[in-house]
């Protein structure tokens, strides 16, 4: 049976919306780490689409750190029946190369983007934010800054770091001091007992929204060897399997923290996205589904736009 | 970005037109597509089942041939995905994303190609030979045994080496590794210095072929295999170490920077460690 058309949906996902100090071009984004730096896939075609970027509100770029990182050894991915474990280990080009090479190219191509950064202490977040602001302040297509407070795959223990509300607040404050005219987001780990407390802390320190959620810690065993498949044992679990888990976390934040939420976790269809909007999310990010199909987010944006138009006429 | 001159990848729905066994656990899948961007040998496609039944990630399959709107692949059943692929009947729908990746060079600058294929590593070299027959000095195919070889694809132009020849030699097959055959045909005495090796197959074969190419002073291009996530450079899930200065290396994506690499650009100490 086809699900009933959600007649309550009255928002055009292709319409710009205000998030803190910034007007964001649309509500369907791609999640960090799932669409590289927003420079891949431009040449791709699909029936009915000009490009995989059609209708995207923002690409959240792959997280960069102060220095380039080679990332974790292979294997880095494990597919499960309804999702995937990843242990990429924040492989990235580093902040300098991002500012020098990536940001101007995104600007040139007109890709709306939210930069994602990770650091090991609040001061470092502040320095990175300042560097971005100094060079990128004049860019039209740079819309926001997402603080990755929750990568599970690095030795420095991003998770523990992002689990403490005081540290989260300190990181947000340091970035907010530097970046005042772009949307500031904190991406939260779901691997805590009280995610709303993290959201409250981030909100009090000045974020415009929290992105919820990052991946869940998971592990898969190779039965042939009896050992974990991933060299670092644990990975970040994502994909359709985590949709209800992510929805529960978002609901908790919306009800207890009162801060705008960008929903992320397990979205593969327009209906999945609508569930986050139903709970009060202001935008959503498409992650693992974008890895399967570069047109996933564009397809979701189009479908939600059609539903919006249908309800408007009706 | 696809390099200049490469066809633009497309994502579209396709219909299975054939899925016939070429040996035990070895199949040729043919898919009819509404678009025909073409491909360069060495490129691959990500295949998946339609929405609702799709795997988290597509399955990367090297393109064997592309004729009149029909693209074909050779694959071996090794796991859940390929097992489900093997169950697809003509008329079944699949999703296609391709062609993807950096292919083998077609222009060898006047040199002749020595093609070396192992097992299901045959498709890119099969396609290369079909597109550039006049530039092939020799073509080798190696497999474990007779059942491991896709005989309908191996005409007399392929010299076949089998690790276990079995009681009756088929198609002129010889007992031994492809590298033995290459050693026999091209002694490392400097008489043939005008060749380039193009190879795809299991890692020990690629390592051995690379050593042979070095001894002969031949350029060498290798198609590598890694577990892939997205297939188009988005997730950084399939990395290969490439040289980045004298003692340094950096991760390259197998799906986008590869799967074909100039062997001289690979970071061999890191590769051998893994």
């Amino acid at each position: 049976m086809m699900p009933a058309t959600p007649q309550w949906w009255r928002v055009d996902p292709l319409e710009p919306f205000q998030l803190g100090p910034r007007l964001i071009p649309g509500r369907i984004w791609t999640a960090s780490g799932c669409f590289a730096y927003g420079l891949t896939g431009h040449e791709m075609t699909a029936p009915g689409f000009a490009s995989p970027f059609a209708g995207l509100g923002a690409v959240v770029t792959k997280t960069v750190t102060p220095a380039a990182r080679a990332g974790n050894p292979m294997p880095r991915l494990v597919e499960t029946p309804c999702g995937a474990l990843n242990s990429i280990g924040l492989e990235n080009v580093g902040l300098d190369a991002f500012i020098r090479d990536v940001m101007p190219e995104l600007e040139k191509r007109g890709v709306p983007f939210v930069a994602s950064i990770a650091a090991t202490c609040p001061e470092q977040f502040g320095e990175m934010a300042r560097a971005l602001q100094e060079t990128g302040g004049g860019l039209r297509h740079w819309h926001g800054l997402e603080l990755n407070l929750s990568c599970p795959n690095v030795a420095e223990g991003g998770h523990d770091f992002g689990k403490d509300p005081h540290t989260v607040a300190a990181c947000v404050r340091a970035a907010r001091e530097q970046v005042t005219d772009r949307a500031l987001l904190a991406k939260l780990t779901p691997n805590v007992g009280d995610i709303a407390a993290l959201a409250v802390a981030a909100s009090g320190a000045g974020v415009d929204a929290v992105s919820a959620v990052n991946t869940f810690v998971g592990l898969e065993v190779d039965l042939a060897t009896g050992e974990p498949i991933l060299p670092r044992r644990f990975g970040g679990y994502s994909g359709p399997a985590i949709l209800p888990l992510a929805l529960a976390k978002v609901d908790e934040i919306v009800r207890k923290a009162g801060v705008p939420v960008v929903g992320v976790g397990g979205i593969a269809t327009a209906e999945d996205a609508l569930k986050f909007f139903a709970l009060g999310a202001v935008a959503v990010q498409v992650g693992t589904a974008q890895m399967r199909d570069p047109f996933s987010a564009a397809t979701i944006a189009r479908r939600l736009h059609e539903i919006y138009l249908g309800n408007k006429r009706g | 970005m696809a390099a200049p001159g490469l066809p633009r990848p497309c994502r579209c729905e396709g219909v299975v037109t054939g899925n016939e066994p070429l040996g035990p656990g070895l199949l040729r899948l043919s898919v009819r597509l509404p678009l025909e961007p073409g491909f360069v040998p060495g490129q691959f496609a990500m295949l998946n089942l339609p929405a609702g039944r799709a795997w988290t990630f597509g399955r990367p399959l090297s393109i064997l041939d592309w004729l009149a709107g029909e693209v074909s692949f050779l694959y071996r059943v090794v796991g859940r995905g390929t097992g489900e692929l093997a169950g697809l009947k003509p008329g079944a729908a699949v999703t296609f994303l391709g062609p993807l990746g950096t292919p083998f060079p077609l222009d060898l600058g006047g040199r002749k190609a020595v093609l070396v294929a192992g097992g299901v590593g045959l498709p890119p070299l099969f396609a290369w030979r079909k597109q550039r027959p006049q530039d092939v000095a020799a073509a080798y195919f190696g497999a474990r045994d007779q059942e491991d070889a896709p005989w309908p694809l191996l005409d007399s132009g392929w010299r076949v080496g089998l690790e276990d020849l079995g009681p009756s030699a088929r198609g002129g097959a010889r007992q031994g590794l492809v590298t033995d055959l290459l050693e026999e045909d091209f002694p490392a005495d400097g008489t043939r210095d005008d060749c380039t090796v193009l190879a795809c197959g299991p890692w020990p074969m690629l390592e051995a072929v690379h050593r042979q190419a070095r001894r002969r002073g031949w350029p060498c291009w290798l198609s590598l295999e890694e577990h892939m996530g997205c297939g188009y450079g988005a997730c950084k899930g399939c990395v290969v170490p490439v040289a980045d200065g004298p003692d340094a290396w950096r991760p390259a994506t197998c799906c986008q920077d590869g799967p074909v690499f100039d062997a001289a650009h690979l970071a061999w100490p890191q590769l051998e460690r893994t």
Side-chain angles (χ1 to χ4, degrees), chain A residues 193-212:
Chain A
D194 186 1
I195 196 170
L198 297 180
V200 167
S203 177
V207 286
D208 300 307
V210 295
S211 303

Side-chain angles (χ1 to χ4, degrees), chain B residues 62-122:
Chain B
S62 185
I63 297 171
L64 177 72
D65 210 350
W66 201 326
L67 272 176
E70 202 171 278
V71 61
S72 59
F73 310 91
L74 172 71
Y75 67 102
R76 185 190 306 288
V77 176
V78 290
R80 186 170 70 100
T82 45
E84 288 185 48
L85 271 185
L88 294 178
K89 302 274 187 287
V94 288
T95 63
F96 172 95
L97 177 67
L100 300 167
T102 302
F104 281 110
L106 277 175
D107 180 0
L108 302 183
R111 304 180 78 88
K112 293 292 179 190
V114 173
L115 310 178
V116 186
V120 284
L122 178 65

Side-chain angles (χ1 to χ4, degrees), chain A residues 33-36 40 43-47 70 74 76-77 79-80 83-84 88 91 288 290-295 299, chain B residues 1-2 8-11 48 54-57 59 80 97 100 226-227 229-230 232-239 251 256:
Chain A
C34 301
F35 209 22
T40 190
E43 74 285 14
M44 290 182 173
T45 62
M74 292 290 291
R76 292 176 166 191
L77 293 171
E79 189 188 65
T80 67
I88 308 294
E91 178 194 324
T288 305
Q290 193 68 11
M291 290 156 64
R292 178 177 66 211
D293 175 1
F295 291 85
T299 304
Chain B
M1 274 306 276
R8 291 180 73 182
C10 68
R11 194 272 274 136
N48 209 326
W55 306 303
T56 304
F57 303 126
R59 292 299 184 270
R80 186 170 70 100
L97 177 67
L100 300 167
E226 263 304 349
H227 285 287
C230 65
Y232 66 98
C235 73
K236 312 295 177 197
C238 62
V239 289
Q256 192 181 31

Side-chain angles (χ1 to χ4, degrees), chain A residues 95-145:
Chain A
L95 183 68
D96 290 349
F98 180 78
I99 289 174
R100 186 188 61 231
D101 305 329
V102 178
M103 287 176 85
E105 192 61 27
L106 288 166
E107 179 75 1
K108 196 172 99 189
R109 292 173 187 231
V111 178
F113 70 101
V114 169
S116 169
I117 60 173
T120 51
C121 62
E123 295 71 31
Q124 220 174 30
F125 271 109
E127 287 162 22
M128 293 180 81
R130 189 179 64 227
L132 286 165
Q133 182 68 44
E134 276 174 10
T135 323
L139 301 183
R140 283 194 311 130
H141 298 288
W142 177 36
H143 292 288
L145 177 62

Side-chain angles (χ1 to χ4, degrees), chain A residues 75-78 85-87 218 220 228-236:
Chain A
R76 292 176 166 191
L77 293 171
V78 183
L85 282 165
N86 87 78
S87 178
E220 180 61 295
I229 295 178
L230 295 172
R232 295 180 56 81
R233 300 186 77 84
F234 304 107

